[in-house]
Amino acid sequence: MLNTMKIVSNSFLVWGKCFTIEALIQFFGMENQDDHPTKHKPPSNINEMGREEIEKYYEDVLDEFINQFLLANMTGGDSDENDFVNNYSICLLQYFFVLHDMKDAVHEGNGERLATLHKQLLLHFKSVQGFNSYAIEMLINVVQNMVFLSPAQSHQCIWASTANWKGGAQRNVEIDLLQENRNRDLKKLIKGMGANKTDKAIDNASRAVGGARKIAENFDYMVYREAKSSSHSHASSLKDESKVLSDLRILKPFSIQANRKHASFRKIK
């Protein structure tokens, strides 16, 4: 089940990346990725501009892109004049950026950013049928941090949602995922006790399981033993991306065309 979810998640990230590239191609008025922009072009004297001016240009362009594609209002109703392909594309783009933002915030260990995303996910889960339980979880999280907990407790909850076990930038993982791995190690220790298994021995093992894992990892490193990867390898997605991008160039999903529909889901509003 977990492997299937990872495959679906990785596939969605590939599609989202391709739709983002297609949106940028249209936004800059280009024919393909190698073309030169005809819209929102940087100033001709950008190399002579100061850093603040350059940053302002990029911020203005990025704001306009966000307003046009991520904050766009999809055409509603059942009229044949609506472009449901465009609606679907905008919807996919919005979901992709939320998912990508979540993954990026976790890797950075940015608790404040995750707390902001929880507010956004609250509205998302509430609007999708069958996800009310997730919306309630987001609501509880937001209310606890903003109302019920003390400032110190709120700070701890916000910034303790991820952990960096191995060190290094962009290597944080969800704290519950780390705990699952430690529980798996603990079960191995308990199983190895055999007849010597007692409550005290289990308690001692649970306290030492993290240190035992670190000792094992350090030993493997010292003897140059290649550690088993905790993540699954994936085939390169470059061919898939190239195929999707070529199809999107033909479809032009972000160009409004009346009465366009996908065969499988005809009314994305």
Side-chain angles (χ1 to χ4, degrees):
M1 181 64 179
L2 290 177
N3 289 339
T4 302
M5 292 177 63
K6 287 183 179 179
I7 292 173
V8 172
S9 175
N10 290 330
S11 298
F12 181 75
L13 290 174
V14 171
W15 300 332
K17 178 182 177 181
C18 293
F19 272 82
T20 302
I21 294 174
E22 173 61 27
L24 288 169
I25 289 175
Q26 176 168 323
F27 179 74
F28 285 105
M30 302 161 59
E31 290 298 325
N32 52 58
Q33 298 180 69
D34 300 322
D35 196 10
H36 296 287
T38 60
K39 300 177 182 178
H40 311 289
K41 295 188 294 184
S44 57
N45 63 335
I46 190 170
N47 292 329
E48 302 173 1
M49 295 167 58
R51 180 173 179 177
E52 292 184 357
E53 294 176 305
I54 295 176
E55 288 181 352
K56 185 179 185 305
Y57 159 74
Y58 283 114
E59 288 176 358
D60 291 342
V61 171
L62 183 59
D63 285 343
E64 190 168 347
F65 175 82
I66 291 173
N67 291 332
Q68 182 175 338
F69 292 96
L70 300 184
L71 301 180
N73 292 322
M74 293 179 282
T75 55
D78 298 325
S79 172
D80 289 338
E81 297 300 318
N82 294 326
D83 186 351
F84 295 104
V85 171
N86 178 261
N87 285 357
Y88 169 82
S89 303
I90 292 176
C91 184
L92 187 147
L93 205 60
Q94 292 171 346
Y95 290 165
F96 164 72
F97 273 90
V98 171
L99 177 60
H100 196 282
D101 205 8
M102 283 288 295
K103 287 181 171 290
D104 191 54
V106 168
H107 291 159
E108 288 185 352
N110 193 331
E112 186 175 2
R113 187 167 153 202
L114 284 171
T116 301
L117 286 168
H118 289 163
K119 299 176 184 178
Q120 185 174 353
L121 288 172
L122 167 60
L123 300 176
H124 166 67
F125 289 136
K126 184 65 176 68
S127 64
V128 180
Q129 186 176 4
F131 285 82
N132 282 342
S133 59
Y134 295 100
I136 293 173
E137 287 295 326
M138 295 297 102
L139 178 62
I140 291 173
N141 181 275
V142 172
V143 173
Q144 279 184 338
N145 291 335
M146 298 186 66
V147 180
F148 293 140
L149 299 180
S150 67
Q153 291 173 327
S154 175
H155 179 86
Q156 184 176 10
C157 286
I158 289 174
W159 291 98
S161 57
T162 63
N164 193 330
W165 177 252
K166 296 184 178 180
Q170 295 281 332
R171 300 188 68 180
N172 290 69
V173 297
E174 297 88 342
I175 192 67
D176 55 341
L177 178 60
L178 177 64
Q179 188 60 47
E180 286 180 11
N181 292 334
R182 296 295 79 82
N183 289 341
R184 182 184 59 190
D185 294 337
L186 177 59
K187 290 178 181 179
K188 290 181 180 179
L189 290 178
I190 295 174
K191 186 177 180 180
M193 294 177 186
N196 297 321
K197 182 166 45 181
T198 63
D199 290 342
K200 184 175 181 180
I202 293 175
D203 182 64
N204 291 336
S206 65
R207 295 173 185 273
V209 64
R213 164 55 60 182
K214 201 65 179 177
I215 291 172
E217 290 178 353
N218 288 338
F219 177 81
D220 291 340
Y221 175 78
M222 294 298 293
V223 299
Y224 301 102
R225 179 185 177 187
E226 186 175 350
K228 293 182 179 179
S229 176
S230 59
S231 59
H232 298 279
S233 60
H234 301 282
S236 174
S237 61
L238 293 178
K239 290 184 179 179
D240 294 336
E241 291 177 9
S242 177
K243 175 61 176 174
V244 174
L245 284 171
S246 62
D247 290 343
L248 290 178
R249 277 285 71 206
I250 298 172
L251 180 63
K252 297 187 184 302
F254 297 105
S255 298
I256 302 296
Q257 300 178 29
N259 197 28
R260 282 200 304 178
K261 303 178 178 68
H262 284 298
S264 299
F265 24 85
R266 303 174 64 84
K267 297 292 178 70
I268 301 292
K269 302 177 183 179

